[in-house]
Amino acid sequence: MSFLSASLDRVKPSATIAVTDKARELKAAGRNVIGLGSGEPDFDTPANIKLAAIHAIEAGKTKYTAVDGIPELKQAIIDKFQRENGLTYKPNQIIVGTGGKQVLYNALMATINPGDEVIIPAPYWVSYPEMVALAGGESVPVVCPAESGFKLQPAALEAAITPKTKWIILNSPSNPTGAAYTREELKALTDVLLKHPHVWVMTDDMYEHLVYDDFDFTTPAQIEPLLFDRTLTVNGVSKSYCMTGWRIGYAGGPAELIKAMATIQSQSTSNPSSIAQWAAVEALNGPQEFIAAHNKVFKERRDLVVSMLNQATGIDCPRPEGAFYVYPSCAGTIGKTAPSGKTIETDQDFVTELLEAEGVAVVQGSAFGLGPAFRISYATKTSDLEDACKRIQRFCGNLR
Ligand SMILES: Cc1ncc(COP(=O)(O)O)c(C=O)c1O
């Protein structure tokens, strides 16, 4: 019998981290590799935010804090939700965690009983089904193909709801597709949810600020105030503020749920880093102008990548509304033969052969629940992106 817990049988290691590790390994071995697997901005954390952390260290703010976050950060989060989303929370309706990931994990651990179902539109962020499995629940993936803009349709939502449904997880803009719901699209979903009072909404708004072409971001509790009492609105500073390594995420939701999440956190990690919390106060309260400057670059990169990928034989790349990912189909390459002599039968084969032949690391769509496709993160230097897209064009052109 294994020494390891049986719960490990229920989870897979992260496919996105695996690709990043593989690319790092090849690079260390001297290969010229361009990694497009990692989901983090290439921009540095803004200087004012770094300075706030340095000041916190110098002022001795280096001790345990309240498990669910310092009052100053909770207030900054309350102000953010009010200012940007029209949502009104009290301090006991806010929790701060070690990254958005921990906040989502706490919420599932605090609510899932064996057999509870969680609806997850696919393609999905790799961690949702794994977290649901760890919590002992059942994920119910609902495939949302490219033809529907990778977005959940109201009828498909209605059909997926059962008496056992506990949560639906929405993520807009999405990792891995970049798709974002318009106000009308979201309203059509919240209308369905109004008919099913036992279903709660976990909305992962991590990429809120990363939208292009004047896209108007909205979040479910804002669109439908009647859902406020059963919605957990999750957000964080990792992506918009280029703070992935600082590990600060947060959520607003009903006090009873937030308290339960804090109980889980109190017996695992306790408070998130005191220093990172002070940096997050500055991120949320300080100047926001750099976000628009970053978005200008991200939009140019998105347009470049979409255009270049659509010139590759066998690739079809939709233009997403936000985040820093594109999710092209590689269906047109299936059945062809790679330079190594191997036939491409799946998107896993496509990404393996692409890495082997051209040194470009991307993540296979099957890891996100919809293939044959792959995810490219364009949060990478523009010159590298251009080079990578040329390599993908050459790879696809060389398939026989
Ligand atoms: C959709 C989505 N949610 C949550 C997270 C987790 O963010 P954090 O780094 O704050 O834990 C990520 C990070 O990749 C993400 O893509």
Side-chain angles (χ1 to χ4, degrees):
M1 213 173 87
S2 170
F3 178 67
L4 302 175
S5 154
S7 65
L8 274 172
D9 295 340
R10 300 201 296 264
V11 284
K12 295 194 291 283
S14 159
T16 47
I17 293 176
V19 169
T20 312
D21 287 351
K22 175 84 185 153
R24 198 176 290 132
E25 217 175 88
L26 287 173
K27 254 188 209 163
R31 283 280 307 272
N32 174 351
V33 172
I34 306 177
L36 305 180
S38 160
E40 63 180 346
D42 52 321
F43 302 115
D44 197 4
T45 307
N48 61 310
I49 299 175
K50 289 182 182 174
L51 211 55
I54 292 167
H55 287 156
I57 294 173
E58 286 173 351
K61 292 176 171 155
T62 53
K63 303 285 166 62
Y64 290 133
T65 73
V67 166
D68 54 351
I70 56 175
E72 292 83 351
L73 181 51
K74 283 191 165 198
Q75 191 55 50
I77 292 165
I78 288 169
D79 295 345
K80 177 262 177 267
F81 276 134
Q82 189 70 65
R83 183 176 70 236
E84 297 188 339
N85 311 113
L87 297 174
T88 307
Y89 289 108
K90 299 188 193 75
N92 67 351
Q93 296 174 313
I94 299 289
I95 184 167
V96 185
T98 301
K101 203 170 208 170
Q102 189 188 26
V103 173
L104 293 159
Y105 187 76
N106 286 341
L108 292 167
M109 292 305 279
T111 54
I112 296 291
N113 289 313
D116 283 349
E117 294 176 356
V118 179
I119 296 173
I120 305 178
Y124 43 71
W125 183 45
V126 288
S127 295
Y128 300 141
E130 306 303 328
M131 288 183 185
V132 169
L134 267 176
E138 305 289 332
S139 47
V140 178
V142 180
V143 172
C144 309
E147 298 75 61
S148 58
F150 300 118
K151 294 177 203 175
L152 182 62
Q153 302 301 302
L157 170 59
E158 183 79 64
I161 294 173
T162 76
K164 290 184 177 169
T165 308
K166 194 129 203 184
W167 289 102
I168 171 168
I169 304 184
L170 288 171
N171 171 218
S172 167
S174 147
N175 176 4
T177 64
Y181 291 87
T182 64
R183 185 176 288 267
E184 293 69 31
E185 287 165 342
L186 215 43
K187 180 78 174 75
L189 295 179
T190 59
D191 282 350
V192 173
L193 292 165
L194 279 183
K195 293 190 271 171
H196 300 276
H198 68 292
V199 180
W200 283 50
V201 185
M202 194 177 296
T203 177
D204 178 347
D205 297 352
M206 200 58 73
Y207 294 91
E208 163 175 13
H209 294 116
L210 306 182
V211 287
Y212 315 115
D213 309 316
D214 299 322
F215 184 88
D216 179 23
F217 172 88
T218 45
T219 189
Q222 170 188 23
I223 297 275
E224 182 45 82
L226 290 172
L227 289 180
F228 183 81
D229 289 338
R230 51 182 167 115
T231 297
L232 184 71
T233 304
V234 181
N235 213 316
V237 295
S238 297
K239 314 285 177 173
S240 311
Y241 298 92
C242 312
M243 293 176 69
T244 46
W246 298 74
R247 314 304 305 127
I248 295 291
Y250 57 85
E256 192 190 4
L257 171 63
I258 295 291
K259 189 167 170 232
M261 291 164 63
T263 301
I264 302 271
Q265 189 162 301
S266 74
Q267 298 296 10
S268 51
T269 58
S270 288
N271 63 276
S273 153
S274 58
I275 300 154
Q277 288 191 67
W278 283 103
V281 171
E282 173 63 17
L284 295 178
N285 289 345
Q288 306 288 308
E289 289 73 29
F290 67 90
I291 296 178
H294 289 175
N295 282 2
K296 186 166 174 292
V297 178
F298 280 140
K299 176 188 152 32
E300 284 165 11
R301 289 177 182 170
R302 178 201 61 177
D303 292 344
L304 172 83
V305 171
V306 169
S307 149
M308 287 187 76
L309 288 177
N310 280 325
Q311 290 166 45
T313 315
I315 303 294
D316 184 11
C317 185
R319 180 185 305 267
E321 293 88 355
F324 37 63
Y325 307 104
V326 293
Y327 200 75
S329 161
C330 57
T333 68
I334 301 296
K336 294 189 175 176
T337 307
S340 69
K342 173 143 180 43
T343 304
I344 296 185
E345 286 169 4
T346 62
D347 52 16
Q348 171 76 63
D349 293 340
F350 178 89
V351 308
T352 306
E353 293 301 315
L354 174 65
L355 183 57
E356 203 50 54
E358 294 287 352
V360 177
V362 299
V363 187
Q364 69 279 12
S366 43
F368 305 103
L370 178 66
F374 57 100
R375 186 193 78 173
I376 282 186
S377 162
Y378 57 82
T380 298
K381 255 199 341 223
T382 307
S383 56
D384 281 354
L385 280 173
E386 206 165 352
D387 186 3
C389 289
K390 279 191 195 141
R391 295 187 198 190
I392 294 172
Q393 288 176 351
R394 187 167 59 208
F395 175 73
C396 291
N398 285 338
L399 295 176
R400 291 288 166 256

